Amino acid sequence: MDCPLCVAEHETTIWRDGSCRVIRVDDPDYPGFCRVVWHEHVAEMTDLTAVSQRHILNVVLATETALRQLMRPDKINLASFGNVVPHVHWHVIPRFVDDRHFPQSTWGEPQRDGARRTAPSSEALAAAIGAALTELTSG
Amino acid sequence: MDCPLCVAEHETTIWRDGSCRVIRVDDPDYPGFCRVVWHEHVAEMTDLTAVSQRHILNVVLATETALRQLMRPDKINLASFGNVVPHVHWHVIPRFVDDRHFPQSTWGEPQRDGARRTAPSSEALAAAIGAALTELTSG
């Protein structure tokens, strides 16, 4: 089976450990948009063990914390669909009231030409994700 | 401030505890669609304590387990946006290949007149959510 998330090619990896990785989503309308991908090919969150569920969700929340610290968005959007690629992955999207779809989801009808912003560097994101994850898991 | 999720009116509650509730979303295209709502008015997941984050995510995952057991969907979709109503809530949506938007998200372009299905009863859902939550938190 050809699963694009099983082969980590053409990805910009921001952070990774033995279980999952945070990659950058190249969408000019959504600077800072990150995707958290479980390495193993598993379709649903409830196919993972409780320990693995907690780990990937901690990485998702650490990514949210990092994006809030570095970009101060008006809202964070979190989503895990997998209808096209049934391999557990989470979208973590910083949203701004003047972005292309606000207040619709990024999968909805565009509302305007979105304001452009500069994404944080991968180095800054990696450091902030690592620090947030340490704080979450040591608490 | 008038937040529709702070006032639990016109809701069909399936399950609740002191922190959050699972309510039924009345969408004829998406039988079984549930929403998990944190009682307190908090905008972002990372505004919650680590214990509260874990609790609401366990309820989300228990709802996923219940819907998989009772409906055998082709995919589960999970999302937390809050762009319109910035009060932490999660959408838990059983998806089928012949539903109105598959493989698009339910916020995307409709693909067809979706096949109609019968949703599980609130009693069956409540029992399955409670059992899944007990298993998750006793593990």
Side-chain angles (χ1 to χ4, degrees):
Chain A
M1 194 195 49
D2 287 331
C3 171
L5 292 179
C6 283
V7 186
E9 280 176 359
H10 314 295
E11 290 181 353
T12 305
T13 304
I14 293 168
W15 180 96
R16 66 179 294 136
D17 69 5
S19 306
C20 62
R21 60 195 186 271
V22 183
I23 65 178
R24 189 183 282 284
V25 177
D26 284 321
D27 183 335
D29 284 314
Y30 290 100
F33 186 165
C34 291
R35 199 166 282 146
V36 182
V37 183
W38 191 249
H39 293 326
E40 193 190 347
H41 188 82
V42 168
E44 302 283 11
M45 280 296 293
T46 49
D47 291 330
L48 297 174
T49 64
V51 169
S52 296
Q53 287 166 2
R54 186 173 302 171
H55 182 60
I56 188 168
L57 289 167
N58 278 341
V59 176
V60 168
L61 294 172
T63 303
E64 171 176 315
T65 295
L67 289 170
R68 290 182 74 184
Q69 285 172 351
L70 296 169
M71 298 187 75
R72 309 251 163 235
D74 295 305
K75 192 70 193 67
I76 289 284
N77 286 180
L78 305 175
S80 177
F81 299 138
N83 304 325
V84 179
V85 180
H87 176 138
V88 167
H89 61 283
W90 282 87
H91 306 283
V92 185
I93 316 170
R95 300 297 308 274
F96 295 88
V97 294
D98 58 2
D99 72 27
R100 186 167 168 77
H101 296 82
F102 202 91
Q104 299 304 310
S105 89
T106 60
W107 291 271
E109 204 64 37
Q111 306 293 306
R112 66 189 69 79
D113 287 336
R116 294 300 163 100
R117 287 181 171 78
T118 304
S121 71
S122 294
E123 293 69 24
L125 273 167
I129 290 168
L133 193 61
T134 300
E135 176 141 349
L136 254 178
T137 53
S138 68
Chain B
M1 194 192 49
D2 285 330
C3 171
L5 293 179
C6 281
V7 186
E9 278 176 2
H10 314 296
E11 289 182 353
T12 304
T13 304
I14 293 169
W15 180 96
R16 67 179 295 136
D17 69 6
S19 306
C20 62
R21 60 195 187 269
V22 183
I23 64 177
R24 189 182 281 283
V25 177
D26 283 321
D27 183 335
D29 284 313
Y30 290 100
F33 185 164
C34 291
R35 199 166 282 145
V36 181
V37 183
W38 191 250
H39 293 326
E40 194 190 347
H41 188 82
V42 168
E44 301 283 10
M45 281 295 294
T46 48
D47 291 331
L48 297 174
T49 64
V51 168
S52 295
Q53 288 166 1
R54 186 174 303 172
H55 182 61
I56 188 169
L57 289 168
N58 279 341
V59 176
V60 168
L61 293 172
T63 304
E64 171 176 315
T65 295
L67 290 170
R68 290 183 73 185
Q69 285 172 351
L70 296 169
M71 298 188 75
R72 308 251 163 235
D74 296 305
K75 194 70 193 65
I76 289 283
N77 286 181
L78 305 175
S80 177
F81 299 138
N83 304 326
V84 179
V85 181
H87 175 138
V88 167
H89 61 284
W90 283 86
H91 307 283
V92 185
I93 316 170
R95 302 296 308 276
F96 294 88
V97 294
D98 58 2
D99 72 28
R100 186 166 167 78
H101 296 81
F102 203 90
Q104 299 303 311
S105 89
T106 60
W107 291 272
E109 204 65 38
Q111 306 294 305
R112 67 190 69 80
D113 287 335
R116 294 299 163 101
R117 286 179 173 78
T118 304
S121 71
S122 294
E123 293 69 24
L125 273 167
I129 291 168
L133 193 60
T134 300
E135 175 142 349
L136 254 179
T137 53
S138 68

